[in-house]
Amino acid sequence: MDRRFVFILVALAVIIPMLLSINLPVSVSEPTQKFYDYVEALPAGSTIMIAFDYGPSSLAELNPMAKALLKQCFDRDIRVIAITLIVDAPTLASAVIQEVATEKGAVEGEDYVFLGYRPGQVQVMLGMGTDIASVYDTDYNGTAIGEIPMMQNITNYDQIDLLVDFASSDTVESWIIYANVRYNQRIAAGVTGVIIAQMFPYLQTGQLVGLLSGILGAAEYENLVGAPAKGMQWINVESFVHLLIVGLVIIGNITYFIHRAREE
Amino acid sequence: MDFWSFIGIWVAAFLTLSIYSVLYRDNPFYRFAEHLFVGVSVGYGIVLSIYQGLVPFALKPLWETVETGAPEGFIKLIPICIGLLFFARLSPRHTWLIRYPIAILIGFGSGIAIPNVLRANIFEQTRGTIAPFAEIAAGTLSGWGIFEAVLMVVGVICTLTYFFFAVEHRGPVKWLSKVGIAFLMIGFGSAFGNTVMGRVALLIQRVDFLLNDWIASIRALF
Amino acid sequence: MKRQVPLVLCFVFGIVMILTQFSPHSVSQWVYEEVISWVLIIGPFALVLATVTLIQTHTARIRRRTEHWQYSFVVFAGLIIMVLIGIFFTPQNSVFEWLYNNVQLPMDATMFSLLAFFIASAAYRAFRARTFEASLLLITALIVMMGNVPVGDFIWNKVLFWTPWEDGVSWWRQWILDNPNLSARRGIILGVSLGVISQSIRIILGIERSYLGGGD
C-alpha cells in the first residue's frame, strides 16, 4: 500500500470527527486528580509559579492545560507568577496568560505577572532559590520587579506554594533536581506525550505532587475545572486517529503472519 | 476581524499547507517554508537572548557600573569579559579562547549536578523503591499492593542488571537481564503509545486552525 | 594557556560548587551566590556560537553552490528581518509578535505534526510481533494508545463489560504506567544518573576533556 494512502486516512480520521463534533465522556486519572486537589487545597492568596517551558511545537498539548490551570487559579484568587526557560516561548506564554486573564478579569501586577525568559536553565532555577529579583529584575514588559504590587512580599521559593512546569523536554527533571531537592519547592508538571512515561518514578516518590499527561491530561483538567475547551474537543477527535492506527497495526500484523505462514 | 489578523491567518495557512505538501513529495514550497522556519526561529532566538539575557545580565550592570562607579559593580565586569570571549569564535587564530567560558560553564554544571543528582535520582528513587516494604511491614498494604511492590523491585533490579556490563550475561544474570528487557519493552511500548497521542494532538491543532480559522476567514469574505 | 587554564577553571568552579552546597557559612553562601550570578552573565554570550555556526553553514552552501543553495538566502532573509525588527522595536512590538504568531508558530507546530503521518505509516509497515519482546512492546503500545482516548473505555464497556475492570482499558493503561513502566524508567534513571555523576567527577578532575575540542 502506498504510504500516501495511509496519510489520506490519517487526515480523514482528523477532519471528519472534527466536523461531526463528537463528545464522549472523559474519566479522570489519579495523577490529574492529585494535581487538581493540590491546587484546590491552596488557600486564596497563595502563589503559584508556572513555568511555560515549551515552544510552538508543543502548544497543542500544553496550551489547553495551561489555560485550564490559569482559569482555576484566577477563579480561586491564587496569584500566578509565570516564567519560561525556553527561548521560543515568551510571546506564546504571554498570549496565553493575557487571553485567560482578560476572560477572568485578572489584573496584571496584582493577580498575575509574566517575568519572561532568562537563558541558562540550571542557573536560573538556582538563582531564584536565593532571590528571584537577582534573575528577574523586571517583568517581561520591563516594569521593575520592585514596582509590581504582587511581588512585594515574594523573595524566593519560600513564598511560592507550588511550581508547575508545563514542559516538552527535560526541564521537569531539572526543576526536581535543583528546585525540589535543593530548595524543597513543591512541584507539579504538565507534559507532552513524548515524555509522559518517564515522569512516573517521580510521581511515586512524591517529587511530583501531580501530573497532567498530554492532551488527555488537558481534557481531564478542563473536565475538573468545569471549563471544557480545546482539550475536551481534541481528545475526542484523537480517539478516531488512535482507532485508525490500532487498526493499521492489526492489519499489518495479520498480513505479516499470513505471508510468514505461506513462506513456511 | 481586522485586516492584519486576516492576512496573518492566510500567511499561516499558506505556510502550513506548504509544509504539508511534503507528504506528497519534496517540492519548492516545502523547501521554502523549511528554510524560512530556520531563519525566523534563529532570528527570534537571537532577539530574545539579547533582550532577556544579555541586556539584564550584562549590559544593564555594565551601564550601572559606568554610571555610578560603584566598586562592587566592577566585579561583574569579570564574567562579562569572560562571556565576551565567545566572540573569539569569529577569529580562527583565537578560537581556543572560547574554552575559558565553556570550561567555567561545564565545571559549574558538573559541580552543581553531583550532590543534587545523587539526592534526587539515586537516594530518592531508591527510597521510592523500598518504601512500600515499610507499608508491608506495618500491614497496611493489600495483597495486590504487595504484588505491585514486589513487581517494582524485581523490575528495577532486572532493568539495572541489563545495563550492568561489568559482568558477562550468563546463567542467572542472563535470566535477570532477560526479565529486564521485558520491563524495558513495556516501558518503550508505553512511551510509544503516549508519543502517538502527542504527535496526533499536534496534527489535530493544525487541522483545527485550517478548518475553524482559515475556512472561517474565507466565509467572512462573502 | 590553551589547555591548562581551562582545566584549572573547570576544576575550581566544579569543586567550589560542590563544597559551597554543603556549608551554610555566610562566606560560603556568598561565594555560591556569586558563582551563580557569574554563570548567569556568561551563559547568554553562548548565543554567539549558535549564530556563527548557522551563518557559516549557509554561507558555505551559497559559496559552494551545493544542492538547493538558493534557499539559504531564505534563511538569511528570515533571520535578518526578525533580528532587525526585534532589535530596533523590542520583542513586545506588534510587528515582531505578528511575525512570530503567523510565520514562526504555524511552521513550528506544523513541522512537528508531520510526525503523526509518519508514525501511522511506520505503525502499519514496521510494527510487527516478530519476537516475544516485540510483542510485549506492541501490546503495551496498543493498550496505552486505547487507554489514552475516551473511545477506548467506550468500546471496552460495550464489548468487555463482563470483566471486573469497570474503568476498562484506561485502568490498564494507568496500571502499566504506574508499575512495569515505572520500574523500567526507574532503572534507566538510576543508570543514567550514576553515569552523569561519574562523568561529572571525570570532568572536574580533568580526566574527561572532550569539551576542549581538538587542537593544542
Side-chain angles (χ1 to χ4, degrees), chain A residues 1 7 10 25 56-57 88 92 130 140 182-183 197 200-201 204-205 216 235 239 242 248 252-253 256-257, chain C residues 32-33 39 92 100 108 112 117 120 124-125 127-130 145 148-151 174 178 181-182 185-186:
Chain A
M1 179 161 57
F7 295 164
V10 172
S57 60
D88 53 356
L92 169 78
T130 46
Y140 184 57
R182 181 116 184 96
Y183 296 103
F200 282 83
Q204 188 256 347
T205 54
L216 173 66
I235 196 68
S239 291
H242 282 213
L248 286 172
N253 274 278
Y256 166 72
F257 282 112
Chain C
Y32 170 80
E33 287 166 24
V39 288
Q92 290 81 11
Y100 175 86
D108 200 349
F112 282 83
F117 293 100
Y124 172 69
R125 287 160 175 266
F127 215 5
R128 301 278 186 267
R130 285 197 174 88
M145 260 192 274
N148 275 339
V149 286
V151 80
Q174 199 59 44
D178 280 336
N181 163 68
L182 184 151
R185 292 287 159 183
R186 183 163 283 162

Side-chain angles (χ1 to χ4, degrees), chain A residues 9 15 31 42-44 68-69 108-109 122 135 150 201 206 214 217-218 220 226 242 260 262:
Chain A
L9 289 178
I15 294 167
L42 294 174
L69 175 66
E108 185 172 10
V122 175
V135 181
M150 67 167 280
E220 291 174 340
H242 282 213
R260 203 166 78 168
R262 276 186 194 154

Side-chain angles (χ1 to χ4, degrees), chain B residues 4 7-9 11-12 15-16 19-20 22-23 26 28 30-44 46-54 57-58 75-76 78-80 82-84 86-87 89-90 96 98-108 110-118 121-122 125-126 128-129 144 147-148 151-152 155-156 159-160 163 181-197 199-200 202-203 205-206, chain C residues 1-3 5-6 9-10 13-14 17-18 21-22 32 34-49 51-54 56 58 61 68 71-72 74-75 78-79 82-83 86-87 90-92 96 98 100 102-104 106-119 127 132-133 136-137 140-141 144-145 148 171 173 175-177 179-191 193-194 196-197 200-201 203-204 211-216:
Chain B
W4 285 108
I7 296 293
I9 288 173
V11 169
L15 293 169
T16 301
I19 291 172
Y20 281 143
V22 78
L23 293 169
D26 191 21
Y30 172 72
R31 285 197 292 271
F32 170 79
E34 185 191 25
H35 286 78
L36 184 66
F37 168 55
V38 173
V40 167
S41 303
V42 175
Y44 181 86
I46 291 171
V47 172
L48 265 292
S49 296
I50 290 172
Y51 269 97
Q52 305 263 286
L54 284 174
F57 289 142
I75 298 176
K76 298 280 182 233
I78 302 169
I80 291 172
I82 295 171
L84 285 171
F86 273 115
F87 283 96
R89 175 76 172 75
L90 297 169
W96 61 272
I98 67 167
R99 288 174 184 167
Y100 286 31
I102 289 176
I104 291 174
L105 292 176
I106 287 188
F108 164 82
S110 303
I112 201 78
I114 293 170
N116 293 305
V117 170
L118 199 65
N121 286 355
I122 307 289
Q125 292 302 315
T126 308
T129 310
W144 182 252
F147 166 72
E148 287 179 340
L151 185 76
M152 180 161 62
V156 172
T159 307
L160 278 173
F163 288 115
I181 293 173
F183 274 91
L184 281 170
M185 287 300 136
I186 295 174
F188 295 146
S190 310
F192 182 86
N194 285 320
T195 301
V196 169
M197 175 175 72
R199 297 309 180 201
V200 171
L202 305 185
L203 170 63
Q205 190 267 339
R206 294 321 294 155
Chain C
M1 281 294 278
K2 290 185 178 179
R3 295 187 76 87
V5 175
L9 282 172
C10 183
F13 274 81
M17 284 322 288
I18 295 172
Q21 288 184 76
F22 292 107
Y32 170 80
E34 200 59 26
V35 172
I36 290 173
S37 75
W38 275 39
V39 288
L40 275 169
I41 294 169
I42 296 170
F45 286 96
L47 109 104
V48 176
L49 294 182
T51 313
V52 170
T53 306
L54 181 90
Q56 282 179 343
H58 285 279
R61 277 185 61 178
H68 305 315
Y71 292 97
S72 290
V74 179
V75 173
L79 190 146
M82 286 303 270
V83 169
I87 295 291
T90 80
Q92 290 81 11
F96 189 76
W98 187 94
Y100 175 86
N102 298 302
V103 179
Q104 183 180 346
M107 284 196 290
D108 200 349
T110 310
M111 202 65 87
F112 282 83
S113 75
L114 284 175
L115 291 167
F117 293 100
F118 298 132
I119 279 182
F127 215 5
F132 171 70
E133 286 84 4
L136 266 182
L137 194 147
T140 309
V144 171
M145 260 192 274
N148 275 339
W171 185 91
R173 168 217 180 247
W175 189 84
I176 288 169
L177 288 169
N179 292 280
N181 163 68
L182 184 151
S183 304
R185 292 287 159 183
R186 183 163 283 162
I188 293 171
I189 288 173
L190 287 168
S193 300
L194 289 170
V196 167
I197 292 166
S200 297
I201 294 171
I203 286 172
I204 291 171
Y211 66 89
L212 293 174
D216 51 344

Side-chain angles (χ1 to χ4, degrees), chain B residues 1-17 206 208-221, chain C residues 98-99 101-103 106-107:
Chain B
M1 188 187 296
D2 66 81
F3 175 74
W4 285 108
S5 303
F6 180 82
I7 296 293
I9 288 173
W10 276 77
V11 169
F14 169 73
L15 293 169
T16 301
L17 293 173
R206 294 321 294 155
D208 187 316
F209 163 76
L210 289 173
L211 290 182
N212 294 324
D213 294 343
W214 183 50
I215 302 283
S217 79
I218 299 173
R219 282 205 205 109
L221 281 176
Chain C
W98 187 94
L99 285 169
N101 288 324
N102 298 302
V103 179
M107 284 196 290

Side-chain angles (χ1 to χ4, degrees), chain A residues 154-189:
Chain A
I154 294 171
T155 309
N156 52 35
Y157 294 132
D158 290 345
Q159 292 82 41
I160 310 262
D161 300 283
L162 178 69
L163 188 146
V164 177
D165 188 24
F166 290 121
S168 59
S169 61
D170 61 350
T171 49
V172 182
E173 278 101 332
S174 296
W175 280 113
I176 290 169
I177 292 169
Y178 298 107
N180 173 256
V181 163
R182 181 116 184 96
Y183 296 103
N184 296 317
Q185 175 61 55
R186 304 292 276 169
I187 296 170

